[in-house]
């Protein structure tokens, strides 16, 4: 039978569903029919789409302009028979390819992890007998038995339920287990509200049910998400986009200069071999061999720093992407909130009480009119709290370093509130042993327990449930001193409405006397005494509001996208002081909108509730279409498509599913929103250091290229040989440039606005500075080279002077690159000890290059005297002073503007 188009099962009566599926309630399918349906519908498992094979994935890593430049550099050094340098450069290429291969392969694991979610067993009715089958053998029409602890094996229409609650957070984002029943629902009911359906991969947290399989495998809701993951193409990060553009430009500039140099030299009458060698020297000088290594190492250092701040990076470019982020789309439960239900208010005996503390740690006190009080002086309050403690199946357990719960989070919140008033579960339960209970049923909306009060030798029935259900059963209420008084229903309804308006979940409590050791429904239909209300919510994390404020100061928008109720989402958003909280957009509203209208909507609304997986994906795409760099948080299977589509997906490490983690580029080990803000700060620092390296290394490459071009145009010997250029580039990149990767973050980093995604890595101002330093290096090296030759010094000495001009010019310029705006004294002269270490080591190495005979023989260098050193240092000081003055003038100009 074909079930692909049948998405209306929730709107059909159970009898109609069974008729459509051609199955009898007491018998189930027979084995022959099941085999036929298996042939038609296929096995109940998800199909991982075909991707690139390992070989194509690996080869794709070499299809990048920067890799072309590196391969050209490696081929050039091999041509020069510099096997060590050639091997090093080839090694960089291989390492970069391996990293990219591993990253892309890991990204595709999300679908494989999702496919494993169906690898379970389940109880079904076949041939009139109950049996256990592997979930992948289920077919539409199979009758399935569910009980507490089961993972739902396929999409099911519920036929019979008993107190069934299913944790659907991984699919819908709902923070509490969904209460299920078999009633028929309107066709327009949203996925999160379909209480008569159970969806594949969700978890039964309470109760039992009989259900019929309606869809399997790729046609389930989880299968639809699988297709969404596959359709969400991982985007290039801002860094990879910009590096690709930069590399392409650099490639063509190098080729153009080399061809121009070759052509001019031949035109002037030089031999083709000499001009080929000059072109090779120019190309080698212009290629920034250290850039890929610097990129990888800088990002790796950022990864290390983020790990110390509870953010694990799975894909290296994600480090920098965080620094470019303009919008953070955050889930609510567990990220902005603590994912621990907490009683915040109690209404008992006609009085309001505020409860301090949050989470499952039972620390806090009670306040009335903003003043602390002793709960023992409020008997009505204690009785209401005792009702919540006794009419309860959860457990609060003290571990070595924290508190944890077993059971329903709502019931756990009641235990914690009672504990704060000095009512401990063990002692109160011993004094009030349970005799009988009526479990919660959605039809009646209450739970009741019968207890023997040993102190008073009396039997009391305690009830908890919805206010509407208990009000119709109550005749009176307790006053503050436990005297029976008339029940003011309007007052209670107003109070409950006020709590609900704050996004609080409200439970009502009642009590009555009893004479027997058992209870029946008819015995609690009337005559009860109302005890009070307890209002609770999953409270915001204390640090989340500060982190959101920090994001706003940094120019980053924050949007809440949750599967929870709109009222709850809005209440949390206001408590966190989020912007644009005048309106909450629901999934139903989005469903009624054209996708083209999303782009305008996302600009003006920050809170979205009851959102389906494909809607999360559409919202992320709408933000990206508006030019935003989007960070998306999530923990459930339903979040995986949006996590993969976002510029950077952020999964929750503590409460997140494996599917979400595999789809994400970053995993939070503490699930805190504040960690995202910290990671953004680190990402900005990483990008700063990367730009500092590029701004430092390119003047050398530019200067070397211009020096070779100038020598060819001037028809003089090359001031630096290709081998000497390689020496300069490789040693300075490692010992000087890479030290910038260890630069600490500059003050005020999170007070800057995010960089525009359209802004290139190098601004016009930085390009000017690079050209200025490149020109100064050209002038100093060429000028001193000619000076030495004019004083009859050997060519080897003149070239050694030129090499040292570049090395020490770079060394002095390095201190100006520690901050692109301020002097090195502003960031602290010794705040980066690695840089000092690199400078000392580079100086010693350059002395060996100049004076050690083996190095002289290898590189064609020669010893130079004090006069030459003074000239070299003079050029280096001029470079430092010029850039220092340029930065000062820019700062003064900025202040005047």
């Amino acid at each position: 039978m074909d079930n692909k188009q049948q998405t209306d099962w929730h709107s059909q009566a159970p009898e109609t569903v069974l008729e459509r599926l051609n199955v009898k309630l007491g018998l189930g399918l027979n084995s022959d029919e099941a085999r036929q349906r298996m042939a038609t519908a296929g096995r109940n498992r998800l199909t991982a789409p075909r991707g690139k094979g390992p070989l194509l994935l690996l080869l794709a890593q070499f299809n990048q302009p920067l890799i072309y430049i590196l391969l050209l550099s490696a081929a050039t050094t091999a041509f020069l028979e510099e096997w060590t340098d050639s091997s090093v450069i080839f090694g960089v290429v291989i390492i970069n390819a391996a990293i990219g291969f591993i990253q892309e392969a890991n990204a595709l694991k999300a679908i494989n992890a999702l496919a494993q979610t169906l690898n379970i067993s389940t109880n079904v009715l076949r041939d009139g007998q109950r049996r256990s089958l592997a979930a992948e053998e289920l077919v539409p029409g199979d009758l399935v038995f569910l009980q507490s602890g089961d993972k739902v094996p396929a999409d099911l229409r519920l036929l019979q339920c008993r107190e069934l609650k299913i944790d659907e957070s991984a699919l819908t984002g709902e923070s509490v287990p969904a209460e299920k029943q078999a009633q028929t629902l309107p066709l327009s009911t949203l996925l999160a509200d379909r209480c008569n359906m159970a969806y594949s991969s969700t978890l039964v947290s309470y109760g039992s049910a009989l259900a019929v399989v309606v869809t399997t495998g790729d046609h389930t809701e989880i299968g639809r998400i699988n297709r969404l993951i596959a359709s969400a193409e991982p985007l290039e990060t801002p860094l990879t986009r910009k590096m690709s553009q930069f590399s392409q430009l650099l490639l063509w500039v190098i080729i153009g200069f080399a061809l121009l140099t070759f052509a001019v030299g031949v035109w002037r009458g030089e031999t083709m071999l000499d001009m080929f060698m000059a072109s090779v020297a120019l190309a080698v000088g212009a290629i920034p061999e250290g850039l890929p290594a610097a990129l990888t190492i800088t990002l790796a250092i950022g990864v290390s720093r983020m790990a110390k701040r509870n953010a694990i990076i799975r894909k290296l470019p994600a480090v920098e992407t965080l620094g470019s982020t303009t919008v953070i789309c955050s889930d609510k439960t567990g990220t902005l909130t603590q994912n621990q239900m907490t009683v915040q208010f109690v209404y008992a005996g006609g009085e309001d009480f505020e409860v301090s503390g949050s989470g499952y740690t039972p620390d806090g006190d009670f306040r009335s009119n903003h003043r602390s009080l002793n709960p023992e002086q409020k008997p009505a309050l204690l009785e209401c709290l005792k009702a919540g403690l006794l009419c309860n199946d959860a457990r609060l357990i003290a571990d070595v370093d924290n508190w944890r719960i077993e059971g329903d989070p709502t019931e756990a919140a009641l235990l914690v509130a009672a504990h704060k008033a000095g009512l401990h579960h063990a002692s109160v339960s011993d004094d009030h042993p349970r005799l009988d209970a009526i479990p919660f049923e959605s039809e009646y909306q209450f739970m009741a327990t019968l207890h023997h009060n040993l102190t008073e030798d009396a039997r009391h029935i305690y009830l908890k449930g919805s206010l509407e259900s208990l009000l119709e059963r109550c005749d009176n209420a307790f006053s503050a001193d436990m005297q029976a008084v008339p029940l003011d229903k309007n007052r209670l309804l107003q109070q409950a409405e006020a709590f609900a308006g704050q996004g609080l979940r409200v439970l009502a409590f009642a009590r009555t006397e009893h004479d027997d050791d058992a209870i029946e429904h008819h015995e609690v239909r009337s005559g009860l005494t109302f005890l009070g209300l307890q209002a609770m919510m999953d409270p915001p994390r204390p640090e989340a509001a500060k982190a959101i404020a920090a994001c706003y100061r940094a120019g980053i928008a924050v949007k809440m996208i949750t599967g929870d109720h709109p009222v709850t989402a809005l209440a949390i958003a206001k408590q966190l002081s989020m912007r644009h909280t005048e309106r909450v957009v629901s999934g139903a509203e989005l469903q009624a909108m054209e996708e083209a209208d999303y782009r305008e909507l996302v600009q003006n609304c920050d809170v979205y509730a009851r959102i389906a997986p494909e809607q999360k994906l559409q919202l992320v795409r709408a933000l990206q279409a508006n030019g935003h760099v989007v960070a998306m948080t999530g923990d459930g299977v339903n979040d995986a498509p949006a996590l993969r589509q976002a510029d950077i997906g952020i999964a929750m490490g503590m409460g997140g599913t494996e599917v979400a983690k595999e789809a994400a580029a970053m995993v939070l080990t503490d699930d805190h929103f504040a960690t995202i803000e910290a990671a953004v700060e680190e990402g900005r620092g990483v990008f700063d250091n990367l730009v500092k390296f590029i701004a430092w290394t390119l003047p050398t490459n530019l200067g070397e290229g211009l020096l070779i071009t100038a020598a060819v145009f001037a028809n003089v010997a090359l001031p630096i040989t290709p081998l000497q250029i390689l020496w300069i580039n490789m040693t300075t990149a490692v010992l000087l440039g890479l030290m910038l990767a260890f630069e600490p973050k500059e003050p005020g980093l999170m007070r800057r606005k995010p960089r525009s995604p359209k802004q290139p890595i190098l601004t016009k101002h930085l390009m000017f500075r690079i050209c200025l330093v490149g020109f100064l290096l050209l002038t100093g090296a060429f000028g001193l080279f000619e000076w030495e030759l004019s004083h009859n010094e050997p060519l080897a000495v003149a070239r050694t002077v030129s090499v040292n001009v570049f090395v020490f010019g770079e060394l002095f310029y390095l201190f100006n690159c520690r901050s692109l705006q301020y002097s090195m004294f502003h960031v602290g002269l010794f705040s980066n000890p690695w840089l000092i270490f690199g400078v000392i080591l580079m100086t010693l190495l350059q002395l060996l290059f100049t004076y050690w005979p083996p190095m002289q023989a290898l590189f064609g260098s020669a010893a130079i005297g004090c006069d030459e050193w003074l000239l070299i240092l003079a050029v280096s000081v001029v470079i430092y002073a010029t850039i220092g003055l340029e930065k000062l003038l820019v700062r003064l100009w900025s202040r005047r503007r």
Side-chain angles (χ1 to χ4, degrees), residues 1 58 192 213 277 339 377 386 436 523 545 657 703 721 744 747 840 874:
M1 74 159 281
L58 182 61
V213 176
M277 292 305 297
N339 199 18
Q377 298 174 354
K386 185 164 66 172
D436 196 13
E523 296 175 311
T657 62
T721 66
I840 294 172

Side-chain angles (χ1 to χ4, degrees), residues 72-94:
L72 176 62
S73 177
T76 304
T77 51
F79 176 80
L80 295 170
E81 298 184 353
E82 293 301 321
W83 305 117
T84 302
D85 292 332
S86 181
S87 299
V88 168
I89 299 171
F90 268 121
V92 170
V93 172
I94 297 301

Side-chain angles (χ1 to χ4, degrees), residues 823-852:
S823 72
M824 64 179 177
F825 302 104
H826 178 82
V827 296
L829 186 59
F830 300 105
S831 60
N832 184 359
W834 285 100
L835 185 136
I836 305 300
F837 170 76
V839 166
I840 294 172
L841 197 57
M842 187 69 238
T843 302
L844 293 175
L845 204 57
Q846 198 58 26
L847 291 176
L848 288 176
F849 171 89
T850 305
Y851 295 107
W852 194 33

Side-chain angles (χ1 to χ4, degrees), residues 12 152 256 290 417 419 436 465 526 643 704 751 808 886:
Q12 302 293 318
V152 179
H419 201 296
D436 196 13
S526 61
L643 289 174
E704 289 166 345
R751 289 194 292 272
F808 285 94
E886 182 257 349

Side-chain angles (χ1 to χ4, degrees), residues 239-355:
L239 178 63
T240 54
R241 283 196 295 268
K242 292 171 185 175
M243 288 303 296
S244 177
Q245 296 165 0
F246 172 73
S247 301
Q248 289 180 31
L249 175 63
L250 192 59
L251 179 65
W252 290 112
V253 168
I254 291 171
I255 292 173
F257 263 98
L259 291 175
L260 177 64
T261 300
F262 182 83
V264 169
V266 171
W267 177 71
R268 293 176 63 91
E270 301 292 333
T271 66
M272 295 183 69
L273 179 61
D274 287 344
M275 287 303 95
F276 174 74
M277 292 305 297
S279 298
V280 166
L282 187 150
V284 170
I287 293 171
E289 292 90 349
L291 183 55
L295 173 63
T296 301
I297 292 173
T298 303
L299 294 177
I301 291 171
V303 167
S304 176
R305 288 177 174 175
M306 287 183 184
K308 294 176 182 177
R309 302 184 75 169
N310 299 317
I312 305 300
I313 299 297
R314 297 183 63 252
K315 303 171 186 177
L316 277 182
V319 178
E320 182 278 333
T321 308
L322 280 163
S324 310
T325 299
T326 59
V327 176
I328 299 174
C329 296
S330 177
D331 191 18
K332 177 186 73 67
T333 305
T335 308
L336 296 173
T337 65
Q338 299 185 38
N339 199 18
Q340 296 182 343
M341 294 297 285
T342 306
V343 174
Q344 298 192 329
F345 296 95
V346 179
Y347 178 81
E351 296 181 89
D352 283 319
F353 303 96
E354 185 178 353
V355 189

Side-chain angles (χ1 to χ4, degrees), residues 4-277:
K4 292 182 181 179
Q5 303 303 321
Q6 294 176 348
T7 59
D8 59 347
W9 300 106
H10 62 280
S11 65
Q12 302 293 318
E15 300 79 15
T16 307
V17 172
L18 291 172
E19 185 179 342
R20 286 175 62 178
L21 291 168
N22 193 21
V23 60
K24 293 183 178 179
L25 188 60
L27 296 175
L29 297 175
N30 63 54
S31 298
D32 291 337
E33 176 67 18
R35 279 193 292 271
Q36 292 176 13
R37 295 190 184 191
M38 175 77 73
T40 303
R43 288 192 171 272
N44 179 33
R45 59 188 178 197
L46 301 181
T47 304
R50 284 188 174 184
K52 295 178 182 176
L55 181 60
L56 287 177
L57 269 182
L58 182 61
L59 292 176
Q61 309 309 315
F62 296 93
N63 187 26
Q64 302 174 39
L66 194 59
I67 299 300
Y68 301 156
I69 296 175
L70 282 175
L71 290 172
L72 176 62
S73 177
T76 304
T77 51
F79 176 80
L80 295 170
E81 298 184 353
E82 293 301 321
W83 305 117
T84 302
D85 292 332
S86 181
S87 299
V88 168
I89 299 171
F90 268 121
V92 170
V93 172
I94 297 301
I95 290 171
N96 276 279
I99 291 172
F101 175 78
I102 292 169
Q103 289 172 0
E104 193 164 346
N106 281 339
L108 297 176
K109 284 184 181 178
I111 294 172
N112 295 330
L114 189 54
Q116 295 302 313
T117 61
L118 296 182
N119 190 19
I120 56 175
S121 296
T122 190
N123 291 313
V124 301
L125 189 67
R126 286 264 182 100
D127 300 311
Q129 295 182 342
R130 183 166 175 161
R131 62 177 67 172
S132 178
L133 287 180
E136 69 172 29
E137 295 183 31
L138 291 179
V139 295
D142 263 325
L143 297 177
V144 174
F145 298 96
L146 296 177
Q147 59 186 17
S148 180
D150 285 350
K151 181 173 281 189
V152 179
D155 283 3
L156 312 176
R157 172 62 162 92
L158 300 174
L159 304 175
Q160 299 170 5
C161 298
R162 180 168 177 79
E163 308 151 35
L164 184 66
K165 293 184 180 181
I166 297 182
D167 180 358
E168 296 183 333
S169 59
L171 186 66
T172 65
E174 180 67 66
S175 57
V176 296
E179 297 174 359
K180 297 293 185 176
Q181 49 193 330
Q183 69 184 50
T184 304
L185 299 172
L187 179 62
S188 60
T189 306
L190 295 176
L191 178 73
D193 298 321
R194 293 175 188 172
C195 62
N196 60 7
M197 298 289 294
Y199 292 105
S200 175
S201 83
T202 58
L203 188 67
V204 179
S205 57
Y206 193 79
S208 60
L210 173 65
V212 61
V213 176
V214 292
T215 49
T216 59
D218 292 331
H219 307 309
T220 60
E221 285 297 321
I222 209 75
R224 186 171 58 83
I225 292 175
N226 184 34
R227 294 193 296 275
L228 288 174
I229 294 175
S231 70
E233 290 296 328
L235 302 180
E236 282 187 302
T237 69
L239 178 63
T240 54
R241 283 196 295 268
K242 292 171 185 175
M243 288 303 296
S244 177
Q245 296 165 0
F246 172 73
S247 301
Q248 289 180 31
L249 175 63
L250 192 59
L251 179 65
W252 290 112
V253 168
I254 291 171
I255 292 173
F257 263 98
L259 291 175
L260 177 64
T261 300
F262 182 83
V264 169
V266 171
W267 177 71
R268 293 176 63 91
E270 301 292 333
T271 66
M272 295 183 69
L273 179 61
D274 287 344
M275 287 303 95
F276 174 74
M277 292 305 297

